[in-house]
Amino acid sequence: PKITLRPATVAEAVERYLKWYQEHRRAYKETETTINAHILPHFNSQLITEITTNQIRHWHNALATQPARVRTRAGAKPAYRDKPITEGQKRPRRSTANRILTVLKAILNKAFQDELVPDNAAWRRVKPFGNADEPMTRFLTEAECMRLINTCRPDFRQLVKSALFTGARYSELARLNVADVNTDTGLIYISPEAKSGRGGHIPL
């Protein structure tokens, strides 16, 4: 006779997933912390078969808009940063929400592969936020430049100053010769790398 398994909860799927994760993956503690902080408090005893796409989307959106947690001592009351307001503050929260969504999907996909649930469409339809991991372009102020220089060791300070004056990469600065600097025109010549074969001038 065909054996029908009883419906599984998210908590049961988490237990199976963490047992598998500990044997096959690294960063177990980090993954367990993410699950305990963001996944179990919301889904825990809910049956996987009753989870809806809209429920996961709402949870995913909430993760992206809530303040970031501050690391505290074990057993201490959770602390949070200010709520993200600017685009620069919102982007890392969306990136974090995407990583947590990936963990939830991995848990549910493992349950699907283990035939604890008949379908995976509910979470498959939830997409991560786009462009969440794109770096933010920002220029240092003069005061920030001075603070950066002053915190460097004396033997490293000149290299940092050169990078700030030119915007050149470390490898480009390391290849510079005295003849590459033209004080009359205020330009330095960056010699080409072996792969690209292209050089160029940078104004000071």
Side-chain angles (χ1 to χ4, degrees):
K2 183 178 180 180
I3 299 175
T4 303
L5 297 176
R6 65 177 179 83
T9 65
V10 173
E12 290 169 333
V14 163
E15 185 178 356
R16 293 173 67 99
Y17 177 76
L18 285 177
K19 183 178 180 180
W20 171 87
Y21 195 97
Q22 195 167 26
E23 295 176 356
H24 298 86
R25 296 288 186 270
R26 297 179 180 179
Y28 172 84
K29 192 63 181 177
E30 181 181 346
T31 302
E32 183 186 40
T33 299
T34 296
I35 291 171
N36 290 335
H38 302 289
I39 294 175
L40 286 180
H42 189 86
F43 296 101
N44 198 21
S45 59
Q46 185 171 359
L47 296 176
I48 301 175
T49 52
E50 295 180 356
I51 294 177
T52 66
T53 299
N54 285 336
Q55 181 185 5
I56 299 176
R57 282 179 181 152
H58 179 78
W59 166 79
H60 184 222
N61 289 331
L63 288 174
T65 56
Q66 69 184 20
R69 290 185 60 165
V70 178
R71 186 171 296 178
T72 57
R73 299 190 311 271
K77 184 178 180 181
Y80 299 88
R81 303 185 189 277
D82 294 334
K83 187 173 182 179
I85 298 175
T86 66
E87 184 61 26
Q89 294 169 338
K90 292 177 181 179
R91 185 181 290 109
R93 295 307 301 149
R94 290 196 288 263
S95 178
T96 298
N98 284 348
R99 289 195 295 271
I100 299 171
L101 174 65
T102 299
V103 175
L104 175 66
K105 284 188 171 186
I107 294 168
L108 300 180
N109 283 333
K110 181 73 169 60
F112 176 66
Q113 292 165 6
D114 291 345
E115 299 183 333
L116 299 182
V117 288
D119 186 51
N120 64 350
W123 55 90
R124 193 178 67 244
R125 288 191 288 256
V126 181
K127 304 301 181 185
F129 296 111
N131 302 323
D133 294 314
E134 288 188 359
M136 180 180 65
T137 301
R138 190 178 78 83
F139 296 94
L140 296 179
T141 65
E142 185 173 349
E144 289 173 329
C145 289
M146 290 304 301
R147 287 202 298 271
L148 173 62
I149 292 170
N150 290 336
T151 57
C152 293
R153 296 182 322 195
D155 59 345
F156 188 59
R157 197 167 292 167
Q158 295 302 321
L159 186 63
V160 173
K161 284 184 178 180
S162 300
L164 290 171
F165 282 136
T166 64
R169 299 182 181 91
Y170 171 81
S171 59
E172 294 170 336
L173 292 172
R175 293 199 308 273
L176 280 181
N177 295 305
V178 174
D180 296 328
V181 181
N182 190 329
T183 56
D184 294 330
T185 61
L187 297 173
I188 62 170
Y189 175 70
I190 301 297
S191 60
E193 292 189 80
K195 291 183 179 180
S196 65
R198 290 185 178 182
H201 288 87
I202 295 178
L204 293 171

